[in-house]
Amino acid sequence: MLDKPNKNKKPDSRRDFIKTSSLSAAGFFIVPRFVLGGKGHVAPSDKVNVGMVGVGGKGRQNAQDLMKLDDVQITAIADPAEYWDLANFYYRSIAGRDPVKRMVEDHYEDKSDNYKVNEYLDFREMLEKEKGLDAICCSTPDNTHAVVTYASMKSGKHVYCEKPLTHNIWEARMIKDLTKETGLATQMGNVGHSTDGIRQTVEYLRAGVIGNVQETHSWVPASRWIDEMQAVPTTNTQKPHGFDWDLWLGPSANRPFHEWYTPVTWRDFWDFGCGALGDFGCHDMDAATWAFELGHPDTIEVFPAGFSNENIAPYGEIGYYNFPDNNTGKPIQLTWYSGGLKPKLHQSLPEGYQWPSRGTLFVGDKGVIVNGGDRVPHVFPESLAANLKKPKEVIPRSKGHFRDWVNAIKGGPAASSNFEYGAHLTEITLLGVLSLRMKGQKINWDAKNLKATGLSEVDQYIKEPVRSGWEMS
């Protein structure tokens, strides 16, 4: 198998979006959800019962993180796959219903005799039968994020969902609206959002440490998984034992099973994933979106590097977003790179400097800030850093990405990557994917009407067709 590392009403304006999120968080501080007895409320003294939807590599990792919390218990899992051997992928583990069920039961056996986790192939059956569930953790491929999240929230469950939050822009708007409507506790799985480093970076940028910023760059080394692929498979291979292929496809069109589609490598296919940009955009454009309160971009151009077509993601990409709506008062341009592409070295950097393999650059009129994988702000030139007065800590520090979500379930403040924020960040990411799927064609984005002006052929990607039975309703 493959052995690549992980190349690790009028719509709201920016100010309305930020204001609403801030007021929501402040509101929870004043009148906790458990006091109000709102939909899905859980008393602070109670355990939160979580159902896992998707227990492949990332689902297994998320289950392990949830099991570290003493006031959480995993009581049910749902996945079309019984078993995956992920030894040749970056997860270096086994996963699927059987291994994860045994892992969870072994963990809780020490705390409760004969602890049993109920297992399902179809998450919809789990939602129907597991009346004691408080929350859902969704770790499925991208094409089923929205339908799992939507159905779970309609069932009154709090939801944690991996990034990108949805597979298309229409879904992102739907989930954002439903989040406002229900008031349920939500968190998107861009875990770097909960680091101290990203909070420090936001504080540095807002304090003007490097002066006025109108230019940012983000890059990841991620590339195509299947190097030799030039077309979607035209033959089928044998399905793994205990694997429901039709259910795994979810809303996507039926086709014969092929081992290239899953596990993990589904990101190479537009029908299931969103390429490197979809995988990492909600991570690596997060700091800029947060710091500058980026609204909707008006233009987006993302060009593929290497072979790609209407079905397959490219090996790399370089793209340009323009954000006229932000808190600096001037447009900000964000440039995105993947597949080994990086920005040119800035004059503020010392001689011999080398970019981290993954990072973000903020260019100001006094100097630059570079984030590496830890998201800690590194200021250049060195003379500026030497005389730096560290900005005041004004953003509350996270207690942990899952911890913050569970605290929100119990009536605490909204998690900081809640779906109102996460849906907006996802929309920004997917607008780049939209241009990329059109071979770099410029998108003039009409955010109010959810349209690419003069480019009706992208409507099929803004709101994708789904198979009968998989509608979000």
Side-chain angles (χ1 to χ4, degrees):
M1 285 295 291
L2 306 167
D3 189 10
K4 281 191 177 181
N6 179 16
K7 300 174 186 179
N8 268 348
K9 131 192 166 178
K10 181 179 178 181
D12 296 333
S13 69
R14 170 189 58 80
R15 291 170 184 84
D16 289 340
F17 160 68
I18 297 297
K19 180 180 179 182
T20 300
S21 299
S22 300
L23 287 174
S24 296
F28 291 134
F29 275 117
I30 298 168
V31 185
R33 190 182 291 106
F34 72 87
V35 173
L36 294 173
K39 189 174 184 180
H41 81 281
V42 177
S45 60
D46 290 345
K47 285 186 180 290
V48 176
N49 295 317
V50 177
M52 306 295 299
V53 180
V55 286
K58 189 58 182 175
R60 179 190 173 101
Q61 289 180 342
N62 286 339
Q64 289 172 320
D65 285 336
L66 283 165
M67 289 189 300
K68 295 174 185 176
L69 305 180
D70 290 338
D71 55 347
V72 170
Q73 53 190 8
I74 297 169
T75 58
I77 59 175
D79 195 300
E82 181 180 286
Y83 178 88
W84 291 119
D85 181 355
L86 303 177
N88 289 330
F89 295 93
Y90 53 84
Y91 294 112
R92 308 296 187 199
S93 66
I94 57 174
R97 290 192 316 275
D98 185 60
V100 174
K101 173 182 168 69
R102 287 188 282 111
M103 177 189 76
V104 174
E105 289 179 344
D106 288 347
H107 172 80
Y108 290 118
E109 185 74 18
D110 294 337
K111 306 172 188 294
S112 176
D113 291 340
N114 301 314
Y115 193 90
K116 186 177 186 299
V117 174
N118 295 327
E119 62 174 303
Y120 301 85
L121 275 74
D122 193 328
F123 76 94
R124 295 168 295 189
E125 182 183 4
M126 184 178 78
L127 288 174
E128 181 181 346
K129 292 183 176 179
E130 296 290 326
K131 303 302 183 184
L133 285 177
D134 300 304
I136 293 295
C137 176
C138 175
S139 310
T140 64
D142 298 353
N143 66 318
T144 46
H145 283 181
V147 68
V148 171
T149 295
Y150 190 87
S152 299
M153 294 179 73
K154 280 291 188 179
S155 297
K157 313 304 181 191
H158 308 283
V159 181
Y160 179 105
C161 184
E162 276 305 322
K163 46 75 215 165
L165 184 57
T166 66
H167 192 255
N168 64 61
I169 297 166
W170 176 83
E171 291 174 338
R173 293 284 182 96
M174 289 286 285
I175 296 301
K176 182 177 180 180
D177 289 345
L178 186 59
T179 303
K180 293 178 179 179
E181 176 189 323
T182 63
L184 292 164
T186 58
Q187 180 85 304
M188 186 171 71
N190 54 336
V191 294
H193 189 87
S194 291
T195 61
D196 287 353
I198 194 172
R199 284 160 166 72
Q200 291 168 0
T201 296
V202 172
E203 288 164 349
Y204 276 43
L205 291 167
R206 289 182 176 176
V209 166
I210 57 171
N212 297 315
V213 176
Q214 268 82 59
E215 181 184 337
T216 78
H217 302 257
S218 296
W219 63 95
V220 297
S223 184
R224 173 93 66 74
W225 280 97
I226 308 172
D227 289 337
E228 66 272 26
M229 182 168 57
Q230 297 290 304
V232 296
T234 56
T235 60
N236 63 310
T237 59
Q238 185 173 354
K239 287 185 293 185
H241 174 75
F243 179 49
D244 189 325
W245 169 238
D246 184 72
L247 188 58
W248 186 92
L249 284 170
S252 300
N254 196 12
R255 72 210 68 200
F257 173 81
H258 194 281
E259 63 184 4
W260 276 0
Y261 288 129
T262 190
V264 182
T265 50
W266 51 262
R267 291 195 185 279
D268 284 357
F269 301 92
W270 292 131
D271 278 354
F272 309 126
C274 299
L277 177 51
D279 193 7
F280 290 95
C282 289
H283 288 304
D284 295 270
M285 294 192 288
D286 186 10
T289 302
W290 192 359
F292 303 121
E293 300 174 0
L294 298 180
H296 297 289
D298 60 352
T299 61
I300 310 98
E301 295 176 274
V302 183
F303 301 94
F307 174 83
S308 68
N309 62 22
E310 68 275 9
N311 299 309
I312 301 168
Y315 295 96
E317 60 230 1
I318 182 168
Y320 310 96
Y321 292 79
N322 187 65
F323 292 92
D325 185 17
N326 62 76
N327 63 12
T328 71
K330 295 182 180 179
I332 288 181
Q333 184 175 86
L334 187 153
T335 307
W336 172 266
Y337 315 77
S338 77
L341 300 174
K342 298 177 183 178
K344 68 177 183 179
L345 291 171
H346 192 270
Q347 61 187 11
S348 296
L349 298 168
E351 185 176 352
Y353 183 86
Q354 293 186 340
W355 292 123
S357 62
R358 175 182 172 188
T360 302
L361 168 70
F362 301 91
V363 181
D365 54 16
K366 295 181 181 178
V368 302
I369 287 176
V370 179
N371 282 167
D374 58 5
R375 292 175 169 77
V376 171
H378 301 278
V379 176
F380 298 97
E382 292 168 330
S383 57
L384 179 61
N387 297 305
L388 174 66
K389 182 180 179 181
K390 189 175 179 179
K392 184 179 179 181
E393 187 176 300
V394 294
I395 301 173
R397 272 25 184 184
S398 170
K399 294 178 172 60
H401 208 61
F402 277 108
R403 180 72 264 168
D404 289 350
W405 176 53
V406 172
N407 287 349
I409 291 172
K410 293 188 164 193
S416 58
S417 197
N418 64 79
F419 290 170
E420 289 190 53
Y421 178 83
H424 182 69
L425 183 54
T426 293
E427 180 172 331
I428 289 171
T429 297
L430 295 180
L431 281 167
V433 173
L434 195 64
S435 176
L436 191 58
R437 294 183 71 170
M438 298 300 293
K439 301 282 191 180
Q441 203 155 349
K442 187 175 184 178
I443 304 294
N444 292 285
W445 186 234
D446 178 355
K448 177 181 178 181
N449 295 304
L450 216 64
K451 291 284 186 181
T453 304
L455 203 61
S456 60
E457 54 264 49
V458 304
D459 289 350
Q460 62 183 318
Y461 304 136
I462 294 172
K463 181 183 180 183
E464 296 165 305
V466 300
R467 291 197 293 166
S468 177
W470 290 92
E471 299 87 356
M472 283 170 52
S473 62

